[in-house]
Amino acid sequence: QVELSESGGGSVQAGDSLRLSCYFLGRTFSLYVMAWFRQAPGKERELVAQITSGGSTYEADSVKGRFTLSRDNLKNTVYLQMNSLKPEDSAIYYCAAKHISTSTYGDWGQGTRVTVSS
């Protein structure tokens, strides 16, 4: 069973930076694609960024150039570096994992809140 533990959320001002971390436990980390999703009040959950087991990344257009996703396979951890934060980035951010053999994310963290004030 996979366990995901997020940290790093908080309240910041527009233009500030935050780094979210997600620690993966329970299976072979290098066999999992990792991602961050977010959900703002009244909105659907959306994919922010994902990273393959080999390190290839995808970022949503809304965060491209501002957010960077990376992974450390020795520390079983993924990091979402968020720069130039905007109020519209405010949401609960969820770490997610899917095995390389599956197409959907089936393992989720509890979420960490990010609040960006203007």
Side-chain angles (χ1 to χ4, degrees), residues 24-76:
F24 175 104
L25 186 66
R27 290 289 186 266
T28 303
F29 180 62
S30 61
L31 296 180
Y32 281 76
V33 179
M34 302 296 297
W36 284 94
F37 289 76
R38 67 185 180 186
Q39 187 166 21
K43 295 188 176 181
E44 293 187 357
R45 185 170 56 193
E46 62 174 350
L47 175 64
V48 176
Q50 73 176 20
I51 186 166
T52 68
S53 56
S56 297
T57 59
Y58 160 85
E59 294 86 22
D61 288 343
S62 59
V63 306
K64 197 168 294 184
R66 300 188 297 121
F67 291 12
T68 302
L69 183 58
S70 61
R71 66 190 293 160
D72 186 333
N73 285 346
L74 295 179
K75 295 183 178 179
N76 285 13

Side-chain angles (χ1 to χ4, degrees), residues 54-109:
S56 297
T57 59
Y58 160 85
E59 294 86 22
D61 288 343
S62 59
V63 306
K64 197 168 294 184
R66 300 188 297 121
F67 291 12
T68 302
L69 183 58
S70 61
R71 66 190 293 160
D72 186 333
N73 285 346
L74 295 179
K75 295 183 178 179
N76 285 13
T77 302
V78 290
Y79 304 98
L80 183 66
Q81 178 67 43
M82 306 186 295
N83 298 328
S84 302
L85 283 161
K86 304 176 181 180
E88 52 264 42
D89 294 319
S90 297
I92 298 176
Y93 284 71
Y94 297 92
C95 180
K98 63 176 179 178
H99 192 270
I100 56 175
S101 65
T102 63
S103 59
T104 58
Y105 286 94
D107 297 294
W108 296 84

Side-chain angles (χ1 to χ4, degrees), residues 11-27:
S11 296
V12 297
Q13 297 290 316
D16 286 350
S17 298
L18 280 175
R19 188 177 79 158
L20 305 184
S21 299
C22 174
Y23 178 65
F24 175 104
L25 186 66
R27 290 289 186 266

